[in-house]
């Protein structure tokens, strides 16, 4: 109990310290690297299928690891390499096998379901 309270107090103290000593950095991190990046991604995803967008978004940890290695010299080890490989293979497979545009599909990527049309009655008639 006391260790938890002490850890909580230390966390709050560190948070206040960062907010008071680095406000411009926090604004930059929140406004540019987070909000702007998400805005740009959302705009770009308008032209991409939902399946493709989900795979691209799933690649985010791989991009992070790549740039951490490139810019900071960090190294991936063990299961992290396996996970990055699985995500990358999934993205590559999705890029080469565009399953949602296969012939006989009803537009949602599932060609096993029949395409149906529904007529609606106009209430003014």
């Amino acid at each position: 109990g006391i260790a938890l309270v002490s850890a909580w107090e230390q966390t709050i103290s560190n948070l206040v310290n960062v907010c008071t000593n680095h406000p411009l950095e926090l604004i930059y991190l929140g406004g540019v690297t987070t909000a702007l990046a998400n805005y740009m991604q959302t705009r770009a995803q308008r032209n991409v299928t939902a399946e493709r967008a989900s795979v691209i978004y799933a690649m985010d940890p791989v991009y992070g690891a790549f740039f951490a290695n490139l810019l900071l010299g960090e190294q991936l080890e063990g299961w992290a390499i396996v996970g990055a490989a699985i995500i990358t293979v999934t993205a590559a497979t999705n890029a080469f096998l565009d399953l949602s545009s296969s012939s006989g599909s009803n537009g949602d990527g599932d060609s096993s379901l029949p395409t149906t049309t529904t007529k609606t009655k106009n209430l003014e008639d």
Side-chain angles (χ1 to χ4, degrees), residues 58-90:
M59 287 286 294
D60 193 43
V62 178
Y63 304 143
F66 172 77
F67 286 112
N69 176 270
L70 183 69
L71 300 173
L72 304 173
E74 293 189 18
Q75 299 294 319
L76 285 181
E77 297 177 0
W79 286 110
I81 293 172
V82 173
I86 290 170
I87 293 170
T88 303
V89 167
T90 302

Side-chain angles (χ1 to χ4, degrees), residues 9-85:
E9 289 173 349
Q10 182 66 34
T11 301
I12 296 298
S13 174
N14 288 341
L15 180 62
V16 169
N17 183 31
V18 168
C19 291
T20 56
N21 293 329
H22 304 285
L24 295 177
E25 292 87 345
L26 289 174
I27 291 169
Y28 173 77
L29 287 173
V32 176
T33 63
T34 303
L36 181 61
N38 283 328
Y39 171 76
M40 290 171 50
Q41 181 175 358
T42 302
R43 296 281 299 189
Q45 286 179 343
R46 288 182 180 178
N47 303 322
V48 178
T49 64
E51 296 86 4
R52 179 86 31 104
S54 67
V55 172
I56 293 169
Y57 202 64
M59 287 286 294
D60 193 43
V62 178
Y63 304 143
F66 172 77
F67 286 112
N69 176 270
L70 183 69
L71 300 173
L72 304 173
E74 293 189 18
Q75 299 294 319
L76 285 181
E77 297 177 0
W79 286 110
I81 293 172
V82 173

